[in-house]
Amino acid sequence: MQTISLKKLFYFEKTPLNLGIAIVTVALLAAFMAGAVAYILHGHHVYNVTRQHPWGLLIAMYVFFVVSSTGLCIISSIGHVFGIPEFQQIGKRAIAGAIITISSGFAVIGLEIGHPMTMLIYNVLTPGLTSAIWWMGTLYGLYLTFICLEFFFLAIKVNHTFSKIFGICGLLVGLAAHSNLGAVFGFLISRPSANGVFYPVYFILSAMITGCYLVFLMYGFRYKMNFPEKVSVMLVKLSKILGMLLAVLIFFEAWKILTALYGDMPERAATILHAIKHPNFWFGELILGMLIPFAIILVSNAKAIKATIYASITGMVGIFFMRYDLVHDTLLYPMTTLKRAEYQVAPSFVEYFPSAAEFAIGFGGIGLALFMYYLADKVFNLDETESAHH
Amino acid sequence: MARYGMALNYKNCINCRACESACKEENGVLLLKDHYRIWVGVKEAEGQFPNISIASQTYHPSQCQHCENAPCQQVCPTNATYYSKDGMVMVDPTKCILCTYCINACPYDARYVDNRTNTVDKCTFCSDTRLANGETTTACQATCPTKVRVFGDLDDPNSEISVLLANKEYRQVKEHLGTKPKLFYIL
């Protein structure tokens, strides 16, 4: 930890890139605050969620953030917990990122849950042990505690034994929490397109991919594309891991879609067919999220680090669409299949588009994450130090 | 203890929707688009003009099915959704955190957010407004002009509903999900 004055804290080199990111961060933070005020004044009425589509962009953004957090935790554990030497340098930066992203996720979900204080009280007094949300929330609370302790012993009071112990605990609890987040959707027997074992496993896989993208972005920005030898060796290896994970994801998704379509099962097949025809899927998820990064890694034999860093931007946009589609596609099939009144048309796929407040809070969360990352980078030394080896 | 359920002679339904109005009046359900505990679904007549089967047009009154194996109860993180001693699925507003997981989990679209409490609400078989006062019917049953609804104790073999279910064929909605709904549509 470094001694730092307020003046130093807000001083940064005024390059066009830095200035651009600063403006975007401040704008997103302002949007978050505006959205939060609108929610506090008007409650859920400022959101476009309905009885038929009760979850929207904010749930998707919460998933986006916690998947990022789990991903960074898993990727950091390659070096830090499993002891692969080239990856040990990621440790502090990735764990700081994991703490920041999950905190942003909690900030977003805090403005979606109607009664967060009631949640804190009755999660303890009358726990719903059959609820995936209960397990996910409780385990994520524990996970955040462990990774904070891990970071404390990595960056503040350096103790490699303790940081490793808390790193292992954080990894295990994070994996349990994250698969439970998958189960939140997988447990929905009312939604055949989501129900099943797919999501708990897919969440872990897509988290690892998100973690790789974020490590690429953090290092690309940290070194302004001029990488020292040690960093570029690590990034080439990470790129190979990312390529393999993307191949598994593409394979996995293909079989999920084929299984859902085969046999034309009521509700499930129609939902998936509708979902995969939408540009959010084929352009957002498939091309931006998977194919562009995968093609770059494949063609360059994982050596084009700079191109992979740019592809990580499209990758993260794709990951956003994956989260958004996950929530929306699950809910798009109407539960009531009959008309309710003479003047209504028969129910079709449920429509939803986020409101301004949802956009402000959801994307404002990215501003929170960027701001916290800026502060963490200023206050702590997130690069590998010699003492980390002892 | 009783185990309450409801049988519906849905073919008698004339879609007057007096039941919807009675429910709103009895339970103070707000007059907003998404706010309804019960509703009447319309199955349109089959066939192309002029060969339209008038008999195929039916009305399907529906509401919370008070499932014995309720997905909404299973997914509630704070046990705000619980089974009453009479087997009804209830919501305790003091424990509800408004995560709306139960709305997602309900296969029958039976739940909504009540603006007054900012918690999830649904049909309670009029347990606090009528049953608690010693009445034995629900508001929707009491108001129905064609006697579509029969409410009663499924565990009492002599109750009207038990006799009806013993003598008539019936179906339940989305039985394949294993939720064991307690609304029975008399065929």
Side-chain angles (χ1 to χ4, degrees):
Chain A
M1 199 165 171
Q2 299 157 9
T3 350
I4 195 159
S5 66
L6 210 56
K7 195 178 168 189
K8 267 191 195 168
L9 197 63
F10 289 100
Y11 172 78
F12 59 89
E13 209 182 334
K14 307 284 186 297
T15 61
L17 179 65
N18 284 351
L19 278 172
I21 291 180
I23 291 167
V24 168
T25 306
V26 171
L28 289 173
L29 276 176
F32 185 85
M33 296 306 287
V37 168
Y39 174 71
I40 290 162
L41 291 178
H42 305 290
H44 265 227
H45 295 288
V46 292
Y47 302 154
N48 276 353
V49 291
T50 58
R51 176 179 180 139
Q52 278 74 30
H53 201 295
W55 284 351
L57 179 67
L58 295 191
I59 297 288
M61 286 308 289
Y62 167 71
V63 175
F64 176 82
F65 282 119
V66 297
V67 173
S68 300
S69 177
T70 319
L72 285 168
C73 177
I74 297 171
I75 297 302
S76 84
S77 71
I78 298 174
H80 180 52
V81 175
F82 296 108
I84 311 290
E86 297 90 327
F87 288 87
Q88 281 181 347
Q89 57 186 308
I90 302 179
K92 273 191 279 181
R93 195 170 290 277
I95 290 299
I99 295 169
I100 287 163
T101 43
I102 196 164
S103 303
S104 307
F106 282 163
V108 170
I109 197 84
L111 295 168
E112 156 65 27
I113 294 274
H115 304 282
M117 292 312 290
T118 310
M119 176 183 74
L120 294 177
I121 296 164
Y122 284 102
N123 257 4
V124 178
L125 292 184
T126 55
L129 299 180
T130 51
S131 167
I133 279 193
W134 186 87
W135 284 99
M136 180 269 295
T138 306
L139 290 169
Y140 265 131
L142 201 56
Y143 161 80
L144 181 57
T145 311
F146 281 137
I147 58 173
C148 283
L149 286 168
E150 182 186 3
F151 186 74
F152 179 78
F153 288 113
L154 266 178
I156 300 168
K157 192 173 170 54
V158 180
N159 182 323
H160 209 56
T161 315
F162 277 169
S163 69
K164 190 168 178 176
I165 290 169
F166 288 119
I168 293 168
C169 293
L171 176 67
L172 293 177
V173 175
L175 288 171
H178 203 56
S179 47
N180 268 286
L181 179 57
V184 167
F185 297 89
F187 276 176
L188 291 172
I189 57 154
S190 59
R191 316 280 179 172
S193 60
N195 188 223
V197 76
F198 177 78
Y199 283 123
V201 187
Y202 160 82
F203 264 52
I204 304 290
L205 175 63
S206 63
M208 291 167 82
I209 290 167
T210 315
C212 291
Y213 286 152
L214 286 174
V215 168
F216 271 109
L217 289 176
M218 288 196 290
Y219 275 85
F221 187 70
R222 165 69 184 85
Y223 292 102
K224 305 282 186 286
M225 298 291 195
N226 292 316
F227 304 105
E229 178 63 20
K230 195 178 172 189
V231 174
S232 70
V233 167
M234 182 273 288
L235 289 179
V236 168
K237 292 202 168 171
L238 188 66
S239 182
K240 287 180 181 168
I241 293 174
L242 175 58
M244 184 194 69
L245 291 170
L246 281 168
V248 177
L249 179 67
I250 293 165
F251 188 74
F252 216 51
E253 283 263 6
W255 279 107
K256 148 91 177 168
I257 292 166
L258 286 172
T259 311
L261 295 178
Y262 197 79
D264 205 19
M265 181 178 158
E267 294 185 27
R268 188 176 73 175
T271 306
I272 295 298
L273 197 60
H274 183 271
I276 61 174
K277 280 179 181 170
H278 200 279
N280 277 4
F281 174 77
W282 57 258
F283 182 70
E285 278 192 41
L286 197 62
I287 296 179
L288 294 180
M290 301 179 213
L291 294 184
I292 291 177
F294 186 65
I296 287 171
I297 293 167
L298 199 65
V299 170
S300 72
N301 199 15
K303 292 201 172 63
I305 302 172
K306 287 181 191 174
T308 310
I309 285 165
Y310 287 117
S312 293
I313 298 173
T314 77
M316 285 308 290
V317 175
I319 292 286
F320 161 75
F321 280 112
M322 279 185 206
R323 308 306 167 223
Y324 182 80
D325 291 352
L326 170 88
V327 174
H328 176 57
D329 295 348
T330 304
L331 302 177
L332 65 82
Y333 197 87
M335 288 290 94
T336 306
T337 48
L338 293 170
K339 284 203 312 182
R340 293 220 184 84
E342 297 296 330
Y343 47 83
Q344 280 183 332
V345 289
S348 58
F349 287 116
V350 178
E351 297 287 337
Y352 165 78
F353 192 78
S355 69
E358 284 173 287
F359 276 119
I361 295 171
F363 291 138
I366 296 173
L368 276 182
L370 290 173
F371 182 60
M372 285 192 276
Y373 181 70
Y374 171 77
L375 291 184
D377 204 29
K378 281 273 179 187
V379 175
F380 304 106
N381 173 19
L382 297 180
D383 292 322
E384 192 183 29
T385 45
E386 281 308 307
S387 57
H389 291 296
H390 303 301
Chain B
M1 283 299 134
R3 189 169 63 93
Y4 286 123
M6 186 178 274
L8 298 114
N9 288 296
Y10 73 98
K11 288 176 184 168
N12 290 357
C13 180
I14 56 172
N15 197 23
C16 67
R17 287 184 274 152
C19 53
E20 290 184 17
S21 302
C23 173
K24 282 194 179 254
E25 175 64 26
E26 183 75 49
N27 299 297
V29 178
L30 295 174
L31 300 171
L32 291 163
K33 192 180 71 152
D34 273 0
H35 290 227
Y36 45 86
R37 288 184 174 189
I38 68 172
W39 64 90
V40 179
V42 178
K43 183 181 170 295
E44 293 208 314
E46 291 166 8
Q48 294 286 318
F49 180 82
N51 300 316
I52 294 172
S53 161
I54 293 170
S56 69
Q57 183 173 32
T58 49
Y59 303 107
H60 290 254
S62 194
Q63 59 183 70
C64 170
Q65 308 274 324
H66 290 281
C67 308
E68 281 182 35
N69 189 19
C72 55
Q73 195 280 330
Q74 289 169 347
V75 302
C76 179
T78 56
N79 273 317
T81 293
Y82 65 100
Y83 298 110
S84 75
K85 58 185 183 343
D86 294 322
M88 292 181 289
V89 178
M90 305 291 282
V91 182
D92 180 348
T94 57
K95 291 184 189 171
C96 176
I97 64 169
L98 199 64
C99 64
T100 62
Y101 196 14
C102 57
I103 301 184
N104 283 312
C106 172
Y108 306 103
D109 190 18
R111 296 176 156 245
Y112 70 98
V113 181
D114 185 340
N115 276 5
R116 295 163 304 177
T117 56
N118 208 27
T119 55
V120 171
D121 192 38
K122 59 179 250 337
C123 162
T124 59
F125 276 154
C126 293
S127 62
D128 43 355
T129 50
R130 294 176 71 93
L131 300 188
N133 299 329
E135 294 188 52
T136 53
T137 59
T138 61
C140 53
Q141 179 190 0
T143 199
C144 180
T146 53
K147 306 226 178 301
V148 169
R149 293 162 185 269
V150 178
F151 171 75
D153 181 4
L154 296 165
D155 281 347
D156 174 4
N158 299 316
S159 67
E160 191 184 352
I161 187 171
S162 295
V163 173
L164 187 65
L165 293 178
N167 293 300
K168 296 273 191 183
E169 278 193 63
Y170 58 84
R171 69 174 180 85
Q172 290 151 292
V173 183
K174 300 189 182 183
E175 281 176 85
H176 63 282
L177 296 178
T179 54
K180 299 184 183 167
K182 290 210 287 287
L183 250 62
F184 306 89
Y185 290 80
I186 305 296
L187 295 173

